[in-house]
Amino acid sequence: MREEASALAHGAATIVNAIATKKGAAFGVDLHTKAQVKLTDEPQVIETEIMSDTAESPILSQKTVTAVLKRFNLEKEFGAKVKTWSNIPIARGLKSSSVAANAVVLATLSTLGKSLEDLEIVKLGVLSALEAKVTITGAFDDACASYFGGLVVTDNLNCKLVKQEALNDDEYIILFQIPPKKMYTVNTDTSKLSTIKPQIEKAYNMAIDGLYWEALTLNGQSYSTALGLNTKIATAALSAGARAAGLCGKGPTTTAVVSKDYVEQVRAVWQGFEGEVIQASLNHEKAKVFA
């Protein structure tokens, strides 16, 4: 057992959003969240500081630490102090909750001197996100892409990892166009999504068949239309040479998968939209404890 430990999990981006069909696909990117967990002798008291956005609710970290303690019947022995740092904008569809949950689970396990199988670690984070009400499906696809890196295709309803694949790190750059307004997943009007189930099923089957970027574009267009979000951002990226572009998560961020030759063209057309552009690379590193 250690008094304190830190862990890091990387970010992820949507290929197929699982809200409509409970099946999804996502891939890892090299954005990240670091979590530091320090055990205390105050049971059931979980103090959290979100250093990169202090206005955000601490409930996810609290639920996550509690889930790990309960897993080992230690919730009546320990509390914790948690700090997180991240370069992932919160509530923009960029998987910030899934990434934070993975990092907090790993750091908490390390303080306890405990270990679990990879998928059990992911599932603890998914359960915590559901209990914290920061997700609709549990975001098992996002959590797997964050934890394992690379590309994943999942059955979120049954927490089943259907497919994993490495992607060519050198072929593409990932750009995110991030509008200034936050959108919380729990506020998504899912009643609007019944009409797009056939398109999302098609996108999911595309991902199964290896047509990942075509799936990303179809998924993004479908969700944007259903949710009344701006489709022009993705269209502009595609017109400027992006290999794929579409809504990330439930939005409002748009992802573009771009070969290096077209990065500046896509960035230039996106300057015409309100918000900021973040650049990332594909990630294949697993989440890890590092101190």
Side-chain angles (χ1 to χ4, degrees):
M1 185 173 293
R2 306 166 63 181
E3 180 183 0
E4 180 181 300
S6 297
L8 181 141
H10 288 98
T14 298
I15 293 176
V16 179
N17 186 322
I19 293 177
T21 65
K22 307 299 186 293
K23 295 182 289 185
F27 63 97
V29 297
D30 65 354
L31 303 176
H32 66 270
T33 294
K34 172 187 172 183
Q36 178 189 79
V37 176
K38 183 177 182 179
L39 294 179
T40 71
D41 57 3
E42 297 181 83
Q44 301 180 1
V45 176
I46 314 295
E47 299 178 14
T48 299
E49 294 182 81
I50 303 173
M51 308 304 290
S52 48
D53 195 337
T54 55
E56 281 296 314
S57 169
I59 189 169
L60 176 60
S61 290
Q62 293 167 348
K63 294 287 188 182
T64 304
V65 172
T66 299
V68 178
L69 292 173
K70 284 184 175 179
R71 173 64 177 74
F72 298 100
N73 298 312
L74 294 171
E75 71 274 17
K76 294 181 180 179
E77 291 189 36
F78 299 110
K81 293 183 178 180
V82 183
K83 290 184 178 181
T84 63
W85 296 261
S86 183
N87 62 2
I88 304 172
I90 293 174
R92 303 302 206 288
L94 278 169
K95 326 306 182 189
S96 58
S97 296
S98 296
V99 182
N102 282 337
V104 172
V105 171
L106 276 176
T108 307
L109 285 170
S110 184
T111 63
L112 296 171
K114 303 290 187 180
S115 61
L116 293 170
E117 294 292 327
D118 288 334
L119 281 178
E120 190 168 358
I121 292 171
V122 172
K123 288 175 184 178
L124 274 176
V126 167
L127 175 63
S128 301
L130 282 167
E131 289 186 353
K133 298 182 179 178
V134 296
T135 176
I136 293 171
T137 70
F140 181 70
D141 49 345
D142 301 337
C144 284
S146 164
Y147 186 87
F148 293 107
L151 178 139
V152 299
V153 181
T154 63
D155 174 346
N156 283 26
L157 188 62
N158 297 298
C159 285
K160 181 180 178 182
L161 185 54
V162 176
K163 182 178 182 179
Q164 280 183 276
E165 186 169 319
L167 297 170
N168 187 338
D169 291 48
D170 298 326
E171 190 172 359
Y172 294 114
I173 296 295
I174 311 303
L175 296 179
F176 298 106
Q177 199 285 332
I178 305 172
K181 185 178 179 180
K182 293 182 178 182
M183 288 179 59
Y184 292 93
T185 300
V186 70
N187 296 328
T188 302
D189 184 357
T190 57
S191 67
K192 298 179 178 179
L193 303 179
S194 59
T195 59
I196 64 168
K197 283 185 178 181
Q199 295 97 303
I200 305 308
E201 287 283 2
K202 181 179 179 180
Y204 183 81
N205 289 331
M206 286 178 172
I208 291 287
D209 292 339
L211 300 173
Y212 308 123
W213 307 136
E214 291 83 355
L216 187 158
T217 300
L218 174 60
N219 172 87
Q221 178 71 33
S222 301
Y223 273 97
S224 293
T225 300
L227 296 173
L229 298 175
N230 190 351
T231 61
K232 294 180 180 179
I233 300 173
T235 301
L238 293 167
S239 297
R243 175 68 178 83
L247 196 68
C248 196
K250 84 310 176 191
T253 292
T254 298
T255 305
V257 180
V258 190
S259 68
K260 294 177 180 178
D261 292 340
Y262 291 96
V263 168
E264 293 312 313
Q265 289 94 312
V266 174
R267 188 189 299 276
V269 298
W270 272 2
Q271 299 302 326
F273 297 95
E274 186 180 14
E276 63 176 323
V277 178
I278 290 179
Q279 181 171 321
S281 298
L282 296 169
N283 174 64
H284 292 96
E285 289 186 21
K286 281 177 65 175
K288 60 185 179 181
V289 173
F290 64 91

